Amino acid sequence: MLQRNRMFKKVIESKKTIKDILIRRNYFILFASTAILLFLILYILTLATTTNQSLSIFIMMNGLDYAILTFFLLFIISLLFGIYISLFVYKIRRNMKGRKVIGIFGGSSGLIAGIFGAGCPMCGSVIFALFGAPLALFFMPFKGLELRVLSILLLIISIYIISKSIYSCEITIIKNKNEKFNRKEQEIF
């Protein structure tokens, strides 16, 4: 029970950190423009192999439910990546004085999984075609939806990790000449 309360408290703190950053005009504009741009790119990649890049043909081939779920998941991926980029830029700007910046791998892997998930399972995926498997989404159990869900999970984990690390830093304390140890300390703003 105590472990669950601590985890819940950390999630609430991360949510507050995200809100505090996205309230700032520059970071909100970065969030919105990144999310819109990524959604447009994923939309184009999804319809790229469909005849005439037609949404109606995509719906006819895959069904309305699949199309709605696909574009909803792509929208969520875009929003999460926009949040991630805003947090990442904030962290870089905040840590310009030589401190270590972490969290690149998680957000990048979430974006890459999302891009691989973009595509029409019946017509093929542009990204998978680059690797010689254009119909790879067709042979997946959920026709690529699993890649989109994986992307969302990776982005959520990345956002949590980077938001948790924004206001904390590693401080090395030297007690004696021979004795060093590290501890995490919370910065106060």
Side-chain angles (χ1 to χ4, degrees):
M1 186 69 165
L2 183 63
Q3 183 72 11
R4 190 170 27 163
N5 287 338
R6 267 191 258 153
M7 184 63 165
F8 186 68
K9 185 179 175 185
K10 288 179 182 181
V11 169
I12 297 295
E13 288 173 4
S14 291
K15 187 177 171 183
K16 184 181 178 309
T17 300
I18 294 166
K19 183 180 174 187
D20 290 345
I21 292 170
L22 291 181
I23 283 176
R24 299 173 187 188
R25 185 173 176 248
N26 291 344
Y27 294 104
F28 182 77
I29 290 171
L30 178 64
F31 154 71
S33 59
T34 303
I36 290 168
L37 181 64
L38 182 62
F39 182 76
L40 289 174
I41 290 169
L42 293 175
Y43 178 83
I44 290 168
L45 285 174
T46 300
L47 296 180
T49 56
T50 306
T51 306
N52 295 331
Q53 289 78 35
S54 171
L55 180 60
S56 61
I57 292 175
F58 181 82
I59 292 171
M60 277 189 340
M61 292 174 70
N62 298 298
L64 182 62
D65 295 340
Y66 180 84
I68 290 172
L69 187 57
T70 292
F71 289 114
F72 176 73
L73 292 175
L74 293 178
F75 178 72
I76 298 297
I77 290 168
S78 301
L79 289 178
L80 290 173
F81 191 71
I83 291 170
Y84 175 78
I85 288 295
S86 297
L87 294 175
F88 187 70
V89 169
Y90 178 82
K91 185 161 178 75
I92 287 175
R93 286 185 179 167
R94 193 170 172 277
N95 294 326
M96 290 291 278
K97 300 191 180 180
R99 290 191 210 159
K100 175 170 86 167
V101 177
I102 63 168
I104 297 171
F105 177 73
S108 301
S109 60
L111 175 65
I112 290 168
I115 288 174
F116 272 97
C120 173
M122 300 300 177
C123 310
S125 169
V126 174
I127 302 299
F128 276 118
L130 295 174
F131 297 102
L135 296 176
L137 293 178
F138 181 73
F139 294 106
M140 291 183 174
F142 298 105
K143 311 257 185 275
L145 291 177
E146 56 272 79
L147 289 176
R148 294 175 190 110
V149 171
L150 174 66
S151 176
I152 289 170
L153 291 175
L154 288 171
L155 284 167
I156 288 172
I157 291 168
S158 300
I159 288 169
Y160 173 73
I161 290 170
I162 200 167
S163 68
K164 193 175 81 167
S165 72
I166 282 179
Y167 293 124
S168 65
C169 66
E170 293 277 338
I171 299 175
T172 302
I173 299 173
I174 301 174
K175 288 178 105 176
N176 300 334
K177 286 183 179 181
N178 299 332
E179 194 176 329
K180 266 193 211 184
F181 65 93
N182 288 330
R183 72 176 174 160
K184 281 202 166 208
E185 217 172 87
Q186 207 64 8
E187 287 185 6
I188 300 172
F189 279 76

